[in-house]
Structure formats: structure tokens, C-alpha cells
Amino acid sequence: MKKLAKTKKIVVYDHKSPLLLESGKELSRVELAYETYGKLNQTCSNAVLIFHALSGDAHAAFYHSDKDRKPGWWDFMIGPGKPFDSNKYFIICANILGGCKGSTGPSSVNPKTGKPYGTSFPPITITDMIKPSRKLIQHLGIEKLLCIAGGSMGGMQALQWAVSYPNTIKGALFIATSPTHTAQAIAFNSVGRYAIVSDPNWQKGYYYDSPLKPLIGLKTARMIGHITYMGQLSMENKFGRKMFENVNSHIDFSKEFEVESYLQYQGDSFIKRFDPNSYLYITKAIDAFNLYNGSKTLAEALEPVQAKSLVISFTSDWLYPKEESLKIVKALKINSLDTTYCNIESPFGHDSFLIDLPKFKEAVTGFLKALET
Amino acid sequence: MKKLAKTKKIVVYDHKSPLLLESGKELSRVELAYETYGKLNQTCSNAVLIFHALSGDAHAAFYHSDKDRKPGWWDFMIGPGKPFDSNKYFIICANILGGCKGSTGPSSVNPKTGKPYGTSFPPITITDMIKPSRKLIQHLGIEKLLCIAGGSMGGMQALQWAVSYPNTIKGALFIATSPTHTAQAIAFNSVGRYAIVSDPNWQKGYYYDSPLKPLIGLKTARMIGHITYMGQLSMENKFGRKMFENVNSHIDFSKEFEVESYLQYQGDSFIKRFDPNSYLYITKAIDAFNLYNGSKTLAEALEPVQAKSLVISFTSDWLYPKEESLKIVKALKINSLDTTYCNIESPFGHDSFLIDLPKFKEAVTGFLKALET
């Protein structure tokens, strides 16, 4: 029998108490889509908050119906007997502010105009993203989380949470993440954004009522991203120079090698489920994230942090290289915090945190067990 | 006084003796644009043939006029007292078959129709590219070249030449190149091609008579390429998180960080001088290049090679990593050839071969001197 979960919705900010953003602008209505797995215990001490990455959503585990072919995006990590054990923990995951999977974002209707925001949606930051999540936790009656956890952009949210709300967490799990995006990572995101905004169907972001959407731009952006999420060696081992079709008889400019048709497939599948404007706003938030936030050193910036932490990087992740994780570890150690670091051997690049790796699961399981005591 | 050079043209194949391509198709007219620097000596023993990379052309050195702000693309390597010393050597560089800087390519007029080929231009390969260059050398009266040299795709041409025409060269210089493209390198090229062919202005390649050209697609492709040519650290040192404009007051989806405006600038400058179809055909030739060509080992594939060689890689080149150069070195050593290998320290990534680095120039100078004896 498949484990089932349901996406719930909650309005966390409204016109009476709007969300004040870092930009100084306000959102008069913020709704979050979220899921939970397991049960909150009587002492409310077993809650774990998961933050998703760029292309993720609230559906982190289980199935929505018996007919679903695929479970949530982190199903190998969340469930009975898994690292985030739903028999022991109450696990929460919400779609981020700015997203397009149920939470308020550029595709949502602006209550003031009755039309989708489009690019009238205000710029958002990682700090802005965690505010609605904090409200959700309060709504669920949780004062202190056992742990927060996230990979990639999810790790940025976890880092910011550990700084912004230090009293609300016992432990924090920062996976394949970085205190800031490198120039190279910004550059790749930037080309993806260029592909979207230069797609004639983007229409300055007001395409929601149009039959034409900037899906070619979004597909290009996703294909670029996908290459950067993979390990060089795993890509070589998986595809190498395997041919999809014969070369010489004709010329096909996009699908001659298997790696090309794989990227096309990934791009086509992504544009069915993602909003181009959300892609723009979220990648901007990632690129703008700066954990230093004016501090001279990362240790100084992380001074508020109290949580025990586990920092995980993956050997083949060249987009968020281990040096970035080590900056976090070093800063936490300087601040005399209980911090563990694992650089996990994996050929799968940045996407390793989305792959069922025994060493990865062991590390997380052990860390959570230690937090319970 | 600026050293001046002129681009010359020569028809190397015509309807009486057409060029038979690897695909089995024919080109009934092939013209090459080329430049030369220095003088051919009486024994015709001082000629050096340079192969350019994807975005290069015949204008490798000197200036076209006193008013030119920039010299040819390898001017720091070619000229009096430089590694390819024009006081000693006769240096030749031709625009490749399939290019758009004077040699026959998709933007050339098909003599059979009187119109530009567009995508009716036949697929070309690296082996096809070197055939017209061979004809040019014969036309210039050179039986044996002192040396051939090329970086990146230019290195692929040099490798193929060393196999196809072993008796015609004394030395060969393979720089930042590879016996085949890795799956990752194919993937990046593939997304660039997708951006071009999905640009509505591409019009299946028949845009030459149209006011609308697929320049947004080409710009996207170039921006992707440019990131992969740069070193991660040099990018970080050059740009880091420097801001181009203020973030919070508004949202600009393409030029907030300096690295973004740099990429935009590079893209804008490229589309003024390059043909989108040439980009498609040339990247296809690069991706399809396979020096193994059916052999079980690279040593077996390189058996015809007789030349002394210098193989150069750069420490920060992640697109053509040193492992690829080492495959070539190993195979040449197995075949008991006189081979030298240099892995040159440089933070500038794949583009290092286009940057004036003393160690790089020393290595080339020394190699050429040794060839003269």
C-alpha cells in the first residue's frame, strides 16, 4: 500500500497583517501550500522542517493517490524507517514564497487587481521566504523544531533560519549549499534568465492570459541548470558518446547524442510543471543570497546561531563545491558550536542530495538520533 | 607602426574537382580565406599552419589597417620575436570550412541555386575541415610543414591532420584539446544549439534574406559557451558578487551582477560577427569528432602519427580537462613518439590558450626551436 499525503493550504499573511519584504514592499496576502508526514508528539518536540530547492515543492514524500507513479521529491529520505522517520518525527515541508506549486508567487492573483501579479510581484529574498514558513510553524503550535534541513537553495533557507530564528531550532542540516552563490553559479542562472526574458512569449511577464507562454526560454534555462547539477563523471558514464540517431544521413541540431535527448526530455518535463516567472524570481533570490549580510567574517554573521549542525557536501558537486561548505563549518567551529562535516563520495554532482545514497542517509539518521538525546 | 596583414582568398575545390565529404555528400565549390605572416624560405622548410577554434578566423595576427583597435586573435603568439616568430617562420592561418569569415559555409551562396545554403549545407566534420587546408598548403608550394598548431577545436584539427597527413609535418602542437568531446561538453553545446534552432527567427536556417535573424538564440549559446571557457576561480576573482546596479529598488532579470553584464556584452559582441548556422555546423563537428575512429585504443588510432609533439593543458580548464590531454600523451608515448607534455598553471580556464601567459609562450618557443634542428 502506498503511503498517502495531501497538500494543505494556509493563509499566513493578509491585509490586516501583511508581509513586509526586505525590499520595503509589502504582500497583502500570502498563502502557503504544505504537507506533513508523521504525527506531532504531545510535547511538540519531534518536528522537522524541510526546505526544498529551486525546482521542488511541498510534496516532499509519499503519494497523492494510489495511481501516482512517482512519490514526493525526497521520498527516500522521509517515511517509516527512513532518515526523517515519520514514525518518530513530524515532518513539514512548504512550497516557498515566490513558487508556483500552491504558495503565493508571481502566478498568483493580486488581490488588489484581481489579476495574476506577473512581474508586478515584488522581488523576494531568502530571508523573505523563511518568514511565511515561520508563521506556518507557529500555526502548527510548534515553538521549537527538533531540526531544520535543506539542500541547495533549501540549505540557504536553513542557514538564514539558523541566523534569524536561533531559538526555534535544536539542530540544523545544511546540505550541498553555500553562504553565497559563486560568480559562476550566478552566471549560469543569469543565462537561464536571459533565455526566459528574451523569449518573445514572455511579454514582460504578463503572459498568464495569453495562449503563448515563454516555455522555450524556460526549457533552455532548465537544460543549462540540469547540466550544472550533474557530475562530470556520472554524465560521462551515463551517456559518454552514445548516439541517439544516425549522424551522417541528415543533420539534427538538437538530438544526435543521448545526452542531448535526455536534456530535451528533462526540459520538456520541467516546463509542464513550472512557471517561468517563478524561475526568474527564485533564481534571483538565490543569486542575491548573502549570508555575510554586511559582516566582515562568516563567523561574525553566524554569531546568533545556537543549533547543533551537520554540514554535508558531495565530492563531485562543482556548482556548490566543498570549499563553500567548509566556509560554513569553519565559521561555526570558530563560534564553538557543535558542528559535524561530511564530504560524501558521490559521482552525481550537485544533484547527489536528491539521490538515494546509503552514506548520505546514514549521516542524516545519526545526526537526528543524536539530537533526540 | 602596426604590423599589417591582409586576408586573401583561394578556391581550393570547384565543380571539376569537388570536395567529397565524410557524409558522402559533395561541395562543388570551396573557397578559403587565409592570412600569412613572415616569409617562406627557399627550402620551404619554415612553414607553420595554425588552426583556429570555434569563434576564431583567418585573422590570427597583426592588424588589417592602422586604424584597427584590435589585432588578430593570437597576436601575442605570432609576430617578430614571439613564439611563432614571423622573422623566422612563415605562418599560415585559414578560416575553417563551415565558417563565416570568408571561407565556404552555410552563409555562402550555393552555386547551384544562387542562394545562400542555409541548412541545405551538408554536415561537416573535423576531417572535412582539414582537407581544404591541405589543398591550401599544396597551393603555397609547401610539401612539409615545420609545425601545425591549434587550441580547442584547432587542436582537434591538428590531431586529425597528424593522423591523416603524417608525412606532411615535422612537429605538432596540441593545446587544450581532446580526442573526443566529453558528454558534459556535448551537453553545453547542445543547449546552445537548442537556443538557436528554437529561436523563431531561425526559420529552419533560411534567414539570410529575412530582416529577422536568430540572434537571441546565438547570444544565449555564446553566453553559455563563455561561462564554460572561463576558470571558476578567475571568474570569482574578476566578478565575485560585484553589483552592476542596485537590487532592491527594482528587479532587472538580466544585469544585476557585473558577471551578468559582462556575459551580455560578450554575447552582444559575438552576434555582430558570427553566423548562427555556422555555430550549429561547427559545434556539431566538434561534438562528433572522434579521434578513435573505430580503433580500440587511442594508441592504435594514432599509429600513423610521426611528428614530434607538444601537448599542453591548463590547470583550470574544466571543459577540456588535463585527463583528455593525458590520453593523447599516453597514446603517443605507447607509440614511442617524441612527446612532451605541459600542464600549465593558469586560473583562466579553457580560454587560457588565448591569454598571454609567459610559461605558455616559453613552452611553444622552446618546442619550435627544437624542431628546427
Side-chain angles (χ1 to χ4, degrees):
Chain A
M1 260 256 306
K2 283 173 176 167
K3 282 271 189 194
L4 298 184
K6 214 175 138 181
T7 307
K8 285 154 271 187
K9 289 213 179 184
I10 179 175
V11 175
V12 284
Y13 291 95
D14 60 22
H15 64 284
K16 285 181 213 154
S17 68
L19 170 59
L20 178 62
L21 299 163
E22 276 204 282
S23 64
K25 295 187 178 177
E26 281 186 355
L27 276 171
S28 61
R29 189 174 190 276
V30 175
E31 191 173 34
L32 282 193
Y34 71 100
E35 295 194 4
T36 62
Y37 318 96
K39 279 184 186 166
L40 188 61
N41 63 13
Q42 284 200 321
T43 52
C44 297
S45 62
N46 69 335
V48 173
L49 178 63
I50 307 283
F51 302 105
H52 68 74
L54 172 54
S55 64
D57 53 30
H59 186 36
F62 299 0
Y63 295 80
H64 281 163
S65 92
D66 275 327
K67 289 174 195 156
D68 278 4
R69 284 201 355 253
K70 282 187 178 176
W73 59 271
W74 232 13
D75 192 72
F76 71 88
M77 288 294 280
I78 302 167
K82 297 177 184 176
F84 298 105
D85 191 336
S86 55
N87 288 336
K88 290 164 70 179
Y89 310 122
F90 177 63
I91 303 123
I92 309 144
C93 183
N95 185 213
I96 54 165
L97 174 71
C100 52
K101 307 301 278 296
S103 294
T104 299
S107 59
S108 303
V109 169
N110 179 348
K112 285 177 191 157
T113 64
K115 288 183 177 174
Y117 281 102
T119 42
S120 74
F121 197 75
I124 49 161
T125 65
I126 299 290
T127 300
D128 293 333
M129 284 180 193
I130 60 170
K131 284 184 183 173
S133 302
R134 173 88 180 99
K135 284 270 187 189
L136 167 65
I137 296 309
Q138 289 170 328
H139 164 83
L140 294 171
I142 299 158
E143 275 186 30
K144 190 151 191 162
L145 291 154
L146 179 67
C147 187
I148 54 172
S152 197
M153 182 186 73
M156 290 177 172
Q157 291 170 77
L159 285 165
Q160 191 57 56
W161 186 293
V163 171
S164 300
Y165 312 123
N167 303 320
T168 66
I169 54 172
K170 198 168 173 190
L173 193 38
F174 311 120
I175 306 164
T177 195
S178 178
T180 60
H181 238 196
T182 62
Q184 190 190 58
I186 293 172
F188 279 120
N189 271 348
S190 165
V191 182
R193 284 193 293 270
Y194 172 72
I196 294 170
V197 303
S198 63
D199 185 325
N201 295 340
W202 184 57
Q203 304 168 68
K204 297 192 173 170
Y206 297 97
Y207 51 78
Y208 296 107
D209 295 331
S210 161
L212 303 169
K213 322 264 182 217
L215 299 183
I216 286 173
L218 182 63
K219 182 173 164 182
T220 306
R222 177 60 171 177
M223 288 163 78
I224 299 169
H226 207 83
I227 303 172
T228 67
Y229 306 148
M230 291 182 78
Q232 287 181 297
L233 254 181
S234 67
M235 213 165 181
E236 196 60 32
N237 294 339
K238 187 167 182 179
F239 303 108
R241 302 181 55 74
K242 273 181 275 178
M243 292 295 191
F244 184 70
E245 293 185 62
N246 187 280
V247 201
N248 287 334
S249 56
H250 74 298
I251 197 154
D252 177 331
F253 289 112
S254 62
K255 310 197 286 191
E256 180 189 331
F257 292 100
E258 277 191 16
V259 66
E260 300 183 275
S261 69
Y262 172 79
L263 285 176
Q264 293 279 333
Y265 171 83
Q266 291 293 337
D268 286 331
S269 123
F270 187 67
I271 59 177
K272 284 178 199 148
R273 62 183 173 88
F274 216 85
D275 174 49
N277 281 338
S278 274
Y279 197 89
L280 296 174
Y281 278 84
I282 297 171
T283 59
K284 272 298 218 186
I286 296 172
D287 289 349
F289 178 62
N290 191 345
L291 193 57
Y292 291 83
N293 193 27
S295 297
K296 277 188 188 159
T297 66
L298 199 56
E300 193 185 316
L302 294 181
E303 227 160 55
V305 178
Q306 299 172 15
K308 278 190 192 183
S309 65
L310 171 60
V311 181
I312 292 177
S313 60
F314 297 94
T315 52
S316 56
D317 184 351
W318 56 275
L319 192 66
Y320 289 73
K322 73 167 192 296
E323 288 72 23
E324 300 298 313
S325 286
L326 282 168
K327 287 178 190 169
I328 301 164
V329 174
K330 200 181 153 192
L332 293 171
K333 292 272 188 199
I334 288 172
N335 293 346
S336 305
L337 285 163
D338 184 343
T339 307
T340 309
Y341 171 60
C342 294
N343 186 31
I344 292 174
E345 184 80 35
S346 157
F348 302 111
H350 183 56
D351 263 354
S352 296
F353 78 97
L354 298 171
I355 288 166
D356 190 341
L357 300 168
K359 290 251 157 119
F360 176 35
K361 292 198 293 189
E362 275 166 36
V364 175
T365 304
F367 177 68
L368 284 164
K369 267 197 187 138
L371 279 181
E372 288 174 61
T373 57
Chain B
M1 260 251 311
K2 282 174 178 167
K3 282 269 188 195
L4 298 183
K6 213 174 137 180
T7 307
K8 285 154 272 188
K9 289 213 179 185
I10 179 176
V11 176
V12 285
Y13 291 96
D14 60 21
H15 65 284
K16 287 181 212 154
S17 67
L19 170 59
L20 178 63
L21 300 162
E22 275 205 284
S23 64
K25 296 188 177 177
E26 283 186 351
L27 276 171
S28 61
R29 188 173 191 277
V30 175
E31 192 172 33
L32 281 193
Y34 70 101
E35 295 193 7
T36 62
Y37 319 95
K39 280 182 185 167
L40 189 61
N41 62 13
Q42 285 201 318
T43 52
C44 298
S45 62
N46 69 334
V48 174
L49 177 62
I50 306 284
F51 303 106
H52 68 74
L54 171 55
S55 64
D57 54 30
H59 186 36
F62 299 178
Y63 294 80
H64 281 163
S65 92
D66 276 326
K67 289 176 195 156
D68 278 4
R69 282 203 354 253
K70 283 187 177 176
W73 59 270
W74 231 13
D75 191 74
F76 71 89
M77 289 293 279
I78 302 168
K82 296 177 184 177
F84 298 105
D85 191 336
S86 55
N87 289 336
K88 291 164 69 179
Y89 310 122
F90 177 62
I91 302 123
I92 309 146
C93 184
N95 185 214
I96 52 164
L97 175 70
C100 51
K101 307 301 278 295
S103 294
T104 299
S107 58
S108 303
V109 170
N110 180 350
K112 284 177 189 157
T113 64
K115 288 184 177 174
Y117 281 101
T119 42
S120 75
F121 197 74
I124 48 160
T125 65
I126 299 290
T127 300
D128 293 333
M129 284 180 192
I130 61 169
K131 284 183 181 174
S133 303
R134 173 87 181 100
K135 284 271 188 188
L136 168 65
I137 296 308
Q138 288 170 329
H139 164 83
L140 294 171
I142 300 158
E143 275 186 30
K144 190 150 189 162
L145 291 154
L146 179 67
C147 188
I148 54 172
S152 196
M153 183 187 73
M156 291 178 171
Q157 291 170 77
L159 285 164
Q160 191 57 56
W161 186 293
V163 171
S164 299
Y165 312 123
N167 303 319
T168 66
I169 53 172
K170 199 168 173 188
L173 193 39
F174 311 120
I175 307 164
T177 193
S178 176
T180 60
H181 238 196
T182 61
Q184 189 190 58
I186 293 172
F188 279 121
N189 271 348
S190 166
V191 182
R193 284 192 294 272
Y194 173 73
I196 294 170
V197 303
S198 63
D199 185 325
N201 295 339
W202 183 57
Q203 303 169 68
K204 296 191 174 171
Y206 297 98
Y207 51 78
Y208 297 107
D209 295 331
S210 162
L212 303 169
K213 322 264 182 220
L215 299 183
I216 286 173
L218 182 62
K219 182 173 164 182
T220 306
R222 178 59 171 178
M223 288 163 78
I224 298 168
H226 207 83
I227 304 173
T228 67
Y229 306 149
M230 291 182 79
Q232 287 180 298
L233 254 181
S234 66
M235 213 163 181
E236 196 61 32
N237 295 339
K238 188 168 181 177
F239 304 108
R241 302 181 56 74
K242 273 180 277 179
M243 292 295 191
F244 184 70
E245 294 185 61
N246 188 280
V247 201
N248 286 334
S249 56
H250 74 297
I251 196 154
D252 177 331
F253 289 112
S254 60
K255 309 197 286 190
E256 178 190 331
F257 292 100
E258 277 192 15
V259 66
E260 299 182 276
S261 68
Y262 172 79
L263 285 175
Q264 293 279 334
Y265 171 82
Q266 291 293 336
D268 286 332
S269 123
F270 188 68
I271 59 177
K272 285 178 199 148
R273 63 184 174 90
F274 217 83
D275 174 49
N277 281 338
S278 273
Y279 196 90
L280 296 173
Y281 277 85
I282 297 171
T283 59
K284 272 299 219 186
I286 296 172
D287 289 348
F289 178 61
N290 191 345
L291 193 57
Y292 291 82
N293 192 28
S295 297
K296 276 186 189 160
T297 66
L298 198 56
E300 194 185 315
L302 294 181
E303 227 160 54
V305 178
Q306 299 171 16
K308 279 190 192 182
S309 65
L310 171 60
V311 181
I312 292 177
S313 60
F314 297 94
T315 51
S316 56
D317 184 350
W318 56 275
L319 191 66
Y320 288 74
K322 73 167 193 296
E323 288 72 22
E324 299 299 313
S325 286
L326 283 168
K327 287 179 190 169
I328 301 164
V329 174
K330 200 180 152 191
L332 293 170
K333 292 271 188 200
I334 288 172
N335 293 347
S336 304
L337 285 163
D338 184 342
T339 307
T340 309
Y341 170 61
C342 295
N343 187 31
I344 292 174
E345 185 79 34
S346 157
F348 302 110
H350 183 56
D351 264 354
S352 296
F353 78 97
L354 298 171
I355 287 166
D356 190 341
L357 300 168
K359 290 251 156 118
F360 176 35
K361 293 198 292 189
E362 275 166 34
V364 175
T365 304
F367 178 68
L368 284 164
K369 269 196 185 138
L371 278 182
E372 288 173 63
T373 57

